[in-house]
Amino acid sequence: MKIKFAEFALPRSGALVVGVTEGRKLTPSAERVDLRMKRTLSRAIKNSRFKGEKGQFLEVAAPTGLSITRVIAAGLGKANELNALAWESVGGAIVGRVNAAGDRDVAIAVDEITDSPRDGTSAAADVGFGARLGSYRFDRYRTKEPAEKKPTLKMATVMVKDAAKAKRAYGAKDRLADGVFLTRNLVSEPANVIFPKALSERAQALKDLGVNVEALGRERMRELGMNALLGVAQGSANEPQLIVMHYDGSAGAQEQPIAFVGKGVTFDSGGISIKPAQGMEEMKWDMAGAGAVIGTMHALAARKAKVNVVGIAGVVENMPSGTAQRPGDIVRSMSGQTIEVINTDAEGRLVLADALWYTADRFKPRLMVDLATLTGAIIISLGDQYAGLFSNDDDLSEKLTKAGKAVGEELWRFPLSKAYDKLIDSPIADMQNISSGRGAGSITGAQFIQRFVGKVPWAHLDIAGVAWSKNDRPTVPKGGTGFGVRLLDRFVADNFES
Ligand code: BES
Ligand code: MN
Ligand code: ZN
C-alpha cells in the first residue's frame, strides 16, 4: 500500500475519512464535509452510539452527486490524549476498516486539533506511519485466498494543510517501517526457509544500504573458541552463523560503537531436552531477537542515522540427533568460562554467551543491548504487553524504558543480584545453564548472560512474550510483531545522534 500526502480536497473515488473527537465534536474537515452532505453525517452520528471515542467508527454512504464510496467518521478520543501513538493507531485502524469495506483508495483528513500535544503536520505523518504499519500482511504462502477476503487498499492519501512538510516528516518513518517489515517477514517465515545460512544471506542485502556485513561459519567460530554457541548447533544439519553488521553514520565522530546483539535460534526443538509437540511450531520465531537486530540495522542505515552501531546475530538451529549435545555435557565458552549444560532447551543463553563476549572483545562497544526470546517464564510474568528488561546500568535502563514508552514497545525492569547469580553455580564447572530450583526463570537466564558481558554497560530484553502476536492490533497485525526495531531506532535517535 502506498502512502501519499496532499492538501485538503474532496476526493473523486474511494473512502473519505474525517475525524471526530470525544463528545461528538467534529473536526473542521468533518464540519465541511457534513455541510457538503446537507448535515447527514452529523445527523447519523446523533442517531447512533458513536461518541468520537478512540477506535470508534461510523460509516455513511456517500450522497448522490459525489463519486466517493463512503464517508467514515473516525473517533479520535480525547483531544489532549492525541499523542503520536494515538495518531498512529488512528491510521492503522482506518486501514483495517477500509480494507474490510473493500475500497481501493482512502483519503484521510488530518486537522490541527487544539489541545492535542501533536501539531497537524506531525499528526499527519503519524497517521501515515500507522496506516503503513497496519497495512502489513504476511501472505506469500496463501495461494487460494478468496478475493473478497484479500485487502483491497492500494493507496492512502493523508490530507493536511502543509502536505510537503508532512511528507518530509514521514520520510524517516517510512524507512523505519521498512525495517519493521523486514523483521516481521524474517520472524514469520518458517524454519525450512529461514535456517542459519538463509538468514545470513538475507542480511547480506543490507550491504546496499552501506552496512558492512560479515558471516562467520562453523570453522571460524571454532577457531575463536565459541564452543557454547557451537554446542547448540552440533545436532543440526544446518551450519550455524554469526552475522556481524557494522554501520557507521557518525563520520568518524563516534569511535566506540553501540552494539545490538540478537538471539537467532531459527528453530528451537529443545534439542535432546526436547519440547512437547503441542506448540512446537511456534519455535520458528525463536530468532526474533536476531530479526529485530537485522531490521534495526536496516532502519538506521536506510535513514542514514548519525550513529556508529554494530549488529550481531548468533544464529543456530537447536535439534536432537546422534550428534546433538547431551544434558551433562560441559563446554568451554569463548570467554574461557566452562558451562555444564543441564538442559539443552536453555540454548539461547549459550548462543548469547559467545555472541556477547565476541562483541565486547572485538568492538569494545560503549554499551550492548541484547534481544532474545529467552524464557517462557517472561510470558508468565508479563504476558504480551511488556518485554522484560535486565541491566547492569540504571542510566541505560532508563533510556531504553523511555524509548519503549514513546513508541509503544514497553519494558519492565527486573532485578539482578548476587543471590540469583549463585543459583547457576555448578559443582563441576564454572556454571550450569539452568538453575536447580524452579523460581525466577527469566532472572536466572539474565544472570547467566551477565557472566559474559564483563564491565560493559549492558541490557538484556527478554522478548518471548512480545515477538509474536496472536491477534490483530491497529499497527501490529498478527504474526511477527517486529518488536524492538522501533524501540532501538528511538533509543538511537534520542541519545546517540547529536
Ligand atoms: N525459546 C525458548 C523460550 C520461549 C518459550 C520463547 C516460549 C517463546 C515462547 C527458550 O529457548 C527455552 O526453551 N527456554 C526454557 C528455559 C528452561 C529450560 C530453563 C523455558 O522457558 O522453558
Ligand atoms: Mn529452548
Ligand atoms: Zn529458544
Side-chain angles (χ1 to χ4, degrees):
M1 191 188 70
K2 283 188 80 156
I3 309 285
K4 267 194 353 183
F5 292 86
E7 318 281 316
F8 295 108
L10 204 56
R12 272 190 291 272
S13 65
L16 169 63
V17 182
V18 293
V20 177
T21 54
E22 209 164 287
R24 295 174 167 159
K25 198 159 173 287
L26 304 199
T27 55
S29 299
E31 191 67 50
R32 277 204 306 279
V33 170
D34 186 40
L35 268 182
R36 186 77 172 59
M37 297 169 70
K38 307 202 175 89
R39 295 282 179 208
T40 48
L41 180 64
S42 49
R43 212 176 323 129
I45 289 174
K46 217 163 276 159
N47 294 328
S48 77
R49 288 178 168 178
F50 179 92
K51 296 199 184 71
E53 282 164 17
K54 208 176 148 186
Q56 273 191 320
F57 285 100
L58 180 108
E59 188 180 311
V60 178
T64 36
L66 292 184
S67 54
I68 56 175
T69 55
R70 64 198 97 244
V71 174
I72 299 174
L76 303 177
K78 293 194 173 71
N80 61 357
E81 289 173 6
L82 270 169
N83 58 14
L85 285 180
W87 281 114
E88 286 168 16
S89 277
V90 168
I94 288 170
V95 165
R97 178 83 188 193
V98 178
N99 263 328
D103 290 297
R104 284 177 60 91
D105 323 82
V106 61
I108 309 165
V110 176
D111 298 271
E112 189 79 45
I113 302 218
T114 10
D115 297 341
S116 160
R118 221 55 188 147
D119 65 80
T121 313
S122 309
D126 299 336
V127 168
F129 185 45
R132 172 116 200 269
L133 289 173
S135 75
Y136 175 84
R137 231 170 156 248
F138 185 77
D139 58 5
R140 55 181 301 205
Y141 299 109
R142 308 191 59 162
T143 65
K144 299 206 161 126
E145 191 176 24
E148 57 278 13
K149 289 213 169 135
K150 281 193 184 145
T152 49
L153 260 186
K154 297 279 177 286
M155 168 96 76
T157 305
V158 183
M159 299 189 295
V160 60
K161 202 161 124 216
D162 191 343
K165 196 171 168 202
K167 189 180 170 186
R168 280 197 299 279
Y170 175 72
K173 294 178 194 288
D174 197 42
R175 301 287 97 77
L176 175 54
D178 289 341
V180 173
F181 285 13
L182 171 58
T183 302
R184 287 177 181 175
N185 285 339
L186 294 173
V187 171
S188 295
E189 285 284 4
N192 61 328
V193 175
I194 292 294
F195 45 89
K197 271 228 162 115
L199 188 59
S200 79
E201 258 154 45
R202 297 276 182 116
Q204 300 295 324
L206 299 192
K207 284 178 175 165
D208 295 344
L209 300 169
V211 180
N212 186 298
V213 185
E214 297 165 57
L216 318 193
R218 187 181 273 128
E219 274 321 304
R220 183 71 191 116
M221 288 195 269
R222 194 167 284 148
E223 285 166 16
L224 289 163
M226 304 179 91
N227 301 310
L229 184 154
L230 289 171
V232 177
Q234 82 186 32
S236 170
N238 285 304
E239 188 187 356
Q241 300 276 294
L242 189 80
I243 309 174
V244 181
M245 296 158 281
H246 189 180
Y247 166 75
D248 189 357
S250 79
Q254 299 172 8
E255 219 171 280
Q256 281 180 286
I258 60 173
F260 301 137
V261 181
K263 166 181 172 181
V265 177
T266 59
F267 189 73
D268 181 12
S269 69
I272 295 297
S273 314
I274 197 163
K275 289 181 181 294
Q278 174 93 40
M280 199 199 276
E281 72 285 353
E282 293 201 9
M283 287 301 106
K284 71 172 184 181
W285 51 265
D286 207 20
M287 37 57 70
V293 170
I294 295 169
T296 301
M297 295 302 287
H298 180 107
L300 293 174
R303 70 169 182 77
K304 300 190 163 53
K306 295 184 177 56
V307 63
N308 185 7
V309 55
V310 296
I312 307 276
V315 194
V316 303
E317 185 178 55
N318 187 21
M319 296 293 267
S321 77
T323 63
Q325 172 157 268
R326 293 148 290 257
D329 282 4
I330 297 177
V331 291
R332 190 179 303 275
S333 66
M334 184 184 176
S335 73
Q337 300 177 93
T338 57
I339 305 160
E340 185 187 10
V341 179
I342 303 291
N343 187 319
T344 65
D345 197 13
E347 84 297 339
R349 60 199 71 180
L350 297 168
V351 172
L352 286 173
D354 280 338
L356 282 161
W357 186 268
Y358 173 86
T359 304
D361 183 58
R362 172 167 170 193
F363 292 101
K364 311 279 183 282
R366 44 206 276 217
L367 60 89
M368 301 194 285
V369 180
D370 79 69
L371 298 93
T373 47
L374 203 76
T375 65
I378 204 72
I379 310 176
I380 307 296
S381 307
L382 297 173
D384 63 1
Q385 296 299 309
Y386 283 73
L389 163 65
F390 306 79
S391 180
N392 60 5
D393 191 284
D394 293 344
D395 179 57
L396 174 57
S397 293
E398 208 168 291
K399 287 180 164 127
L400 286 165
T401 304
K402 231 173 143 186
K405 211 176 222 38
V407 303
E409 295 184 341
E410 301 230 46
L411 304 177
W412 194 262
R413 192 174 180 188
F414 282 72
L416 292 169
S417 80
K418 274 223 167 68
Y420 287 121
D421 183 68
K422 258 175 53 120
L423 299 175
I424 52 167
D425 283 341
S426 159
I428 178 173
D430 295 335
M431 68 195 87
Q432 52 192 37
N433 75 331
I434 60 166
S435 142
S436 307
R438 293 206 307 129
S442 303
I443 298 175
T444 48
Q447 293 289 167
F448 183 95
I449 296 170
Q450 188 178 13
R451 292 195 185 197
F452 298 88
V453 302
K455 294 213 154 53
V456 181
W458 151 84
H460 157 60
L461 311 185
D462 192 335
I463 61 171
V466 295
W468 188 267
S469 176
K470 288 198 167 136
N471 40 45
D472 285 323
R473 282 172 274 164
T475 57
V476 188
K478 52 169 161 292
T481 60
F483 187 101
V485 178
R486 299 186 57 190
L487 188 157
L488 294 180
D489 174 79
R490 176 60 77 99
F491 170 69
V492 167
D494 285 354
N495 301 291
F496 301 98
E497 285 196 72
S498 42

